[in-house]
Amino acid sequence: MTKTSRRDVLTAAAVMTAAGMAEAAPAAAQAGQKPIFPVPMVTIPIVGESQVFQVRRIYCIGRNYAAHAIERGSDPNREPPFFFQKPTDAIQNVATGEVADHPYPSLTKNYHHEVELVAALKSGGTNISADKALDHVYGYALGLDMTRRDLQNGMAAEKKPWEIGKSFDHAAVLGPIHPASKTGHFEKGAISLAINGTVKQSSDLSKMIWSVAEQIAKLSEAFELKAGDIIYSGTPENVGPVVKGDVLLCKLEGLPDMSIKIV
């Protein structure tokens, strides 16, 4: 029988321990890695809170008011919901009571406003039922889905993706998030947008084809929704162009006004 020294036993134990740690904790090894440059975290202020809402993804629903669907050439009675995304760094936060400067973007000569209710999620999942969907909503904000309409229409005419018309710097404007625990959930309420004091868009959330709960349910069929996702819930009819110098005033019953100036 071979005699094993105490040193051999300790050495073997150390090797086994190291191997086990390497298998069990690959994440720990990666924790020592550092990015080659910092990427800023995108956040939205929360009313009444020192904490902020960290954004993971921005979803938007298209043509969710019947009259807007008609003006965009669709049949609201038979078209299922469709969605697109914007990059998180497209967000422009607008403080309550502020008229924020909003830069007119490059490449377009037909820049449009779209006022919308925005829902912010605190949790998510897949195949969420509509009757449970609002349990995942942290809060709501008033938003603008800004659109380079000529670029969108041009790409659509060529049957190409029209991301360039929707996904660009400052394209996702919104006010601070208001917790649903304080506001309740928005199923109805007047929503409007005025340019230089003249009302251009005016409707009610009750006229949405797909409610926020139904939007969450439909989205979760295609994507795993998670905390940090926000959903632009669609715009009423009478979208239209803005030019430099225009002041936009957005209103939603139950939330403070939001305003920007095109510069």
Side-chain angles (χ1 to χ4, degrees), residues 121-179:
L121 304 189
K122 62 183 177 182
S123 56
T126 56
N127 297 312
I128 299 168
S129 62
D131 61 330
K132 299 291 185 182
L134 295 183
D135 294 343
H136 298 280
V137 176
Y138 174 79
Y140 297 92
L142 182 52
L144 279 166
D145 167 16
M146 300 302 291
T147 304
R148 297 191 283 201
R149 189 72 71 200
D150 45 357
L151 300 185
Q152 180 192 25
N153 290 345
M155 297 300 279
E158 297 178 9
K159 301 187 183 304
K160 296 177 181 177
W162 36 261
E163 178 184 19
I164 193 170
K166 288 285 191 178
S167 304
F168 52 92
D169 296 342
H170 309 102
V173 183
L174 79 172
I177 292 173
H178 297 255

Side-chain angles (χ1 to χ4, degrees), residues 99-113 146 195-196 240-248 260-263:
V99 180
D101 285 348
H102 176 84
Y104 195 98
S106 62
L107 301 180
T108 183
K109 294 181 179 178
N110 191 19
Y111 192 41
H112 278 210
H113 58 77
M146 300 302 291
I195 300 178
N196 305 325
V242 296
V243 297
K244 290 183 178 181
D246 282 347
V247 175
L248 281 59
I260 61 171
K261 181 179 181 180
I262 310 299
V263 297

Side-chain angles (χ1 to χ4, degrees), residues 229-245:
D229 291 344
I230 66 173
I231 303 170
Y232 277 70
S233 63
T235 193
E237 67 275 16
N238 296 324
V239 298
V242 296
V243 297
K244 290 183 178 181

